[in-house]
Amino acid sequence: MSDNFFSIIENTHHSRPDRVVIESDDGRQYRAHDLLTRSGRYAMLLAKLGVKRGDRVVVQAEKSVQSLFFYLACLRAGVVYVPLNTAYRRAELTYFLSNARPSLVICPKQSETDFGSLTSATILTLDENGGGSLEDAVEQVANEAATAAVAPNDVAVIIYTSGTTGRSKGAMITHQNLSSNARVLVSYWRFSEKDVLLHALPIFHIHGLFVANHTALVSGAKILWHRKFDPKRLIADLPRATVLMGVPTFYLRLLAEPAFDRDFVRNMRLLISGSAPLLLDTFAEVEARTGHRILERYGMSEAGMITSNPLDGVRVGGTVGFPLPGNAVRIVDDQDRPVPDGEVGGIQISGDNVFAGYWQMPEKTKEEFTVDGWFKTGDVGSFDEEGYLSIVGRAKDLIISGGYNVYPKEIELVLDALPGVLESAVIGIPHPDFGEAVTAVLVPQPGAQLLEQEIVAQLKTQLANYKVPKRVHIVEVLPRNAMGKVQKNVLRQEFS
Ligand code: AMP
């Protein structure tokens, strides 16, 4: 079989073209035949547009089955798929386009002019119902392209993960990364064509794009495709599903619905949570209401899924389980020396799941790997004596709000540039719904008057909504240690 990850999906589906693989919440059904022919025609369109192997295709589009098929087409063609969060605004897009230098951009109709002023790439549009100039163009294509031969280490996808310096880094994910992680998850979570996956996650992030789609498409499971997360609609579909993948916020929202009970999950075999820490309370409450112990797992853009609680063994709340087969995980001290079980340290990983480095940032890549080849995740945790991993914090001060990563530095840079702001510190405050709420602490310039509402309004024009602080506190001075570093722990205590 070819090293192209798509070959595994093709292999699952080519002998059963009539099977329904996706049922969308707009009432449309898609069969294996649709998946194969549509992605083949998109791949042919890419060739006609002159997009070559290794070229980047930037996609900022609402979730649609067409955008999924287009993603699969990029894999087939051996071109590099670069998904962008739909919430990104112009200032953010400017950087991504200059860094990725795409040959083709797919965006909604209303962003076409904006993108046109930022890139010389070909631009096609895709709206939330699957229409637009991309659809018009593919309708003109009669033939399907064969799946391209690629090398295992060829880059399939670049996922941008913000850096603590405020600069985003493009994590290069190879075909081998995708294949190994998908195979491991299908077997560890025992996915089969009998499964029906409830998919309500966004598809610009590894959770919705890789974990959910790949486990279903590789195993032949059916996907119930929800374009947006709506707890009531999700509950209505629960009795038809066998697996749900969600971020902790999903489970909190479901618990707020009285209908979320044992009866509604009667056909469900697995509730999975990840992307942010699941509160122990949520874990316990879901078990009390439904009889299911949520399976929590841990992963990141740079490495796909790293650890998972077991399918058959005991799922321990507050832990992210064991390293997945083929993935090595170690806990180290400041000198990269492994520490004994029970001790807290930096989490480092190695295995076929670990990415190929940051796009065009060889120095940054070098910094993030140890001399003996382990990737430094930036997370801090410990193993207990039974081998369960717990994550206790994030070395890099990352804030995770509603499942999205927010890097304080990026917001601090924007805040510091606002008129009247002397300096700022951005922290995460525990929040019952979002996990953490982005919170800003500002010091005004002498004589300046800062108003919370005005600051928030200005930030909304420059940043994706999930990054905009939920609260802005004005103080006279920021607490600092002897080395002059802002003491964020002091701020967190004060404003929690
Ligand atoms: P991303 O690259 O956006 O997927 O974010 C990866 C980061 O999310 C990891 O480095 C962790 O800090 C965090 N994360 C993912 N899953 C979990 C989890 N189950 N518990 C705690 N943190 C998690």
Side-chain angles (χ1 to χ4, degrees):
M1 198 195 288
S2 149
D3 288 314
N4 191 313
F5 169 58
F6 185 79
S7 305
I8 305 178
I9 297 176
E10 208 165 16
N11 210 35
T12 305
H13 294 278
H14 79 273
S15 59
R16 27 165 256 168
D18 290 331
R19 248 186 95 110
V20 173
V21 287
I22 301 173
E23 257 186 65
S24 173
D25 60 356
D26 60 6
R28 287 191 266 184
Q29 286 197 338
Y30 300 85
R31 295 177 190 278
H33 172 77
D34 301 322
L35 181 153
L36 296 173
T37 55
R38 204 60 174 178
S39 59
R41 279 166 70 187
Y42 278 134
M44 184 58 91
L45 174 65
L46 287 168
K48 288 195 161 178
L49 292 170
V51 182
K52 296 181 294 300
R53 256 181 72 182
D55 283 0
R56 275 81 52 215
V57 175
V58 162
V59 178
Q60 189 190 39
E62 292 300 334
K63 183 178 179 183
S64 68
V65 175
Q66 285 67 29
S67 63
L68 169 63
F69 289 172
F70 184 76
Y71 158 61
L72 299 177
C74 291
L75 296 175
R76 289 188 80 157
V79 310
V80 181
Y81 187 79
V82 187
L84 293 183
N85 190 326
T86 45
Y88 286 143
R89 298 279 186 274
R90 192 181 163 89
E92 293 149 322
L93 296 175
T94 309
Y95 168 71
F96 293 124
L97 291 169
S98 70
N99 186 254
R101 286 182 291 103
S103 315
L104 174 67
V105 169
I106 308 293
C107 68
K109 177 86 191 136
Q110 64 269 24
S111 315
E112 197 177 8
T113 318
D114 231 12
F115 271 101
S117 66
L118 296 174
T119 173
S120 57
T122 306
I123 301 175
L124 292 174
T125 65
L126 177 60
D127 67 34
E128 57 192 31
N129 301 313
S133 57
L134 173 66
E135 271 325 272
D136 298 344
V138 80
E139 288 298 333
Q140 308 301 317
V141 175
N143 305 322
E144 296 162 37
T147 298
V150 300
N153 289 331
D154 279 357
V155 178
V157 180
I158 292 177
I159 300 261
Y160 277 101
T161 73
S162 306
T164 39
T165 55
R167 266 279 119 116
S168 286
K169 294 169 287 179
M172 297 188 285
I173 319 294
T174 66
H175 280 265
Q176 182 182 35
N177 293 151
L178 298 181
S179 303
S180 71
N181 219 228
R183 283 201 170 106
V184 164
L185 293 178
V186 165
S187 123
Y188 204 76
W189 295 339
R190 225 175 295 128
F191 262 76
S192 79
E193 55 184 46
K194 293 200 204 97
D195 276 311
V196 180
L197 172 75
L198 205 38
H199 188 321
L201 294 158
I203 58 165
F204 48 71
H205 181 265
I206 62 153
H207 197 167
L209 183 65
F210 296 166
V211 189
N213 288 329
H214 293 178
T215 45
L217 295 177
V218 165
S219 64
K222 182 158 91 178
I223 301 178
L224 301 181
W225 186 263
H226 285 220
R227 286 163 299 164
K228 293 243 152 60
F229 170 68
D230 172 342
K232 290 201 165 51
R233 297 185 80 152
L234 204 70
I235 288 177
D237 255 352
L238 278 176
R240 304 165 63 213
T242 64
V243 183
L244 170 67
M245 288 188 194
V247 293
T249 315
F250 275 27
Y251 293 101
L252 276 164
R253 294 271 165 83
L254 285 172
L255 284 169
E257 300 288 330
F260 182 56
D261 64 10
R262 260 167 220 269
D263 190 39
F264 268 83
V265 296
R266 61 188 176 273
N267 294 320
M268 195 60 89
R269 69 173 183 90
L270 189 56
L271 304 178
I272 300 177
S273 177
S275 291
L278 180 74
L279 298 176
L280 263 174
D281 280 356
T282 316
F283 177 82
E285 231 179 292
V286 168
E287 185 175 17
R289 280 271 278 283
T290 66
H292 279 277
R293 284 172 92 87
I294 293 178
L295 179 152
E296 186 173 5
R297 92 297 177 283
Y298 158 59
M300 63 195 310
S301 303
E302 289 93 332
M305 294 302 98
I306 302 164
T307 70
S308 169
N309 267 280
L311 187 67
D312 298 321
V314 181
R315 297 176 201 157
V316 180
T319 81
V320 292
F322 309 114
L324 287 162
N327 299 3
V329 180
R330 69 180 190 185
I331 308 291
V332 297
D333 62 16
D334 292 350
Q335 315 290 316
D336 294 335
R337 287 177 308 218
V339 300
D341 285 350
E343 271 183 38
V344 170
I347 301 176
Q348 298 188 342
I349 57 175
S350 82
D352 281 347
N353 57 318
V354 178
F355 74 136
Y358 295 111
W359 168 251
Q360 300 209 313
M361 291 186 183
E363 285 309 312
K364 197 82 211 152
T365 303
K366 217 170 136 197
E367 273 171 32
E368 303 297 333
F369 282 86
T370 65
V371 279
D372 53 347
W374 291 74
F375 175 62
K376 307 170 188 172
T377 62
D379 292 313
V380 175
S382 66
F383 276 116
D384 68 16
E385 66 250 16
E386 285 170 82
Y388 289 86
L389 180 69
S390 295
I391 298 174
V392 297
R394 295 180 296 275
K396 298 170 187 168
D397 260 336
L398 170 72
I399 301 168
I400 301 188
S401 189
Y404 290 135
N405 286 2
V406 181
Y407 289 87
K409 191 78 194 167
E410 185 188 5
I411 299 154
E412 288 161 7
L413 290 174
V414 176
L415 281 167
D416 292 349
L418 293 180
V421 175
L422 184 66
E423 60 173 355
S424 63
V426 169
I427 49 173
I429 297 290
H431 186 281
D433 205 4
F434 296 109
E436 285 180 292
V438 179
T439 304
V441 185
L442 294 186
V443 180
Q445 281 168 350
Q449 283 282 336
L450 297 179
L451 289 174
E452 181 171 14
Q453 278 170 329
E454 281 174 17
I455 300 282
V456 169
Q458 291 181 75
L459 290 180
K460 279 191 173 163
T461 65
Q462 296 190 51
L463 292 170
N465 251 336
Y466 69 89
K467 295 181 192 167
V468 175
K470 302 270 176 292
R471 286 299 315 267
V472 176
H473 301 281
I474 318 288
V475 298
E476 275 176 44
V477 60
L478 294 175
R480 287 195 144 81
N481 69 11
M483 302 299 289
K485 283 191 200 297
V486 175
Q487 292 167 303
K488 290 199 168 175
N489 50 340
V490 175
L491 289 174
R492 277 189 211 107
Q493 260 177 14
E494 190 173 341
F495 293 107
S496 280

